[in-house]
Amino acid sequence: MTIYLDIILLENLCMNYIILFATGLINKVVIKQIRIILASILGGIYAIASFFPISEIYSGLVLKIILSIVMIYVSFVPKNAKNLFKQLIIFYLVSFAFGGCSFALLYFIKPQNILMKNGILTGTYPLKIAILGGILGFIIVNIAFKLVKGKISKKDMFCELEIEIQRKVAKIKAMIDTGNLLKDPISNIPVIVVEAKQLENVIPNTIIENLNKLIGGEKEDVILDIGEEYMSKFRIIPFTSLGKQNGLLLGIKADSVLIKTLENEKVIKNVIIGIYDKYLTKTGDYTGLIGLDILERTEKNEAFANIKM
């Protein structure tokens, strides 16, 4: 059977492109065509190398994983190991789905002169099957992810907060953010991020108007206007999110925070409110961010007392 390396390169380039493009869409990352094409070419070169006498070198599992990581990095340039791992998992899930669709088409079409070497299919129909399998697989994976995502109700993503500071209460709607792991570096107390505008009823406007001064340590001309009772509650929280790297957030220790979810209500006694001087969302769907670890605290943590179950 005659094997044409240019056809093998074209087949794998098309399939790799579809898989990487779908991976980028599902992960909601910025897709740059030139990067995806370069990564697809790398995968195609690997496929060609599999047909040479030294193919045993390229057939190892470790090298295949390394190749996948390189292709992901070239395509999307993940910022950290967590993003890389997430994109790699989606890449494999999409690959398995596309591979399954291609094999299903092979089963129904039953083409002749099909050869498989190191997982690479060549023959009469593989190019058409690769494209059709990729399109069909993309549709199936896209529908599957939408169905799974649709099961997560928006109501489960939000909760109501009643923040009490100096016997004054502010009511806000917060999004439950698994990525919010902010804590006071000294006391290790968790931080709930809240838009500054939502706290106007519980803290003096002088604090909101002088956030940068207080963060920078310029307290002398502010302390007379707000009182010592507030100054003793201030904390400086470092963060690397909210659209800013290596930033500082002014925090104020709350007397208590009542958290209302669909399942229960809890009062947190030991928490810091991070005062954010911008908007968390353009739509205004929520004005606070609360970490999932706060909601999962138990009485052993001495962080809250259950009111209602």
Side-chain angles (χ1 to χ4, degrees), residues 10-25:
L10 181 59
E11 291 171 355
N12 283 273
L13 195 152
C14 291
M15 199 65 177
N16 290 334
Y17 178 87
I18 295 172
I19 293 173
L20 289 168
F21 187 82
T23 301
L25 284 181

Side-chain angles (χ1 to χ4, degrees), residues 101-102 105 109 127-137:
C101 291
S102 298
L105 290 173
I109 297 174
L127 179 56
K128 295 179 181 178
I129 291 173
I131 295 175
L132 289 175
I135 295 172
L136 181 60

Side-chain angles (χ1 to χ4, degrees), residues 113-128:
N113 301 323
I114 290 294
L115 173 66
M116 175 179 283
K117 185 175 180 63
N118 289 332
I120 308 299
L121 283 173
T122 59
T124 309
Y125 294 103
L127 179 56
K128 295 179 181 178

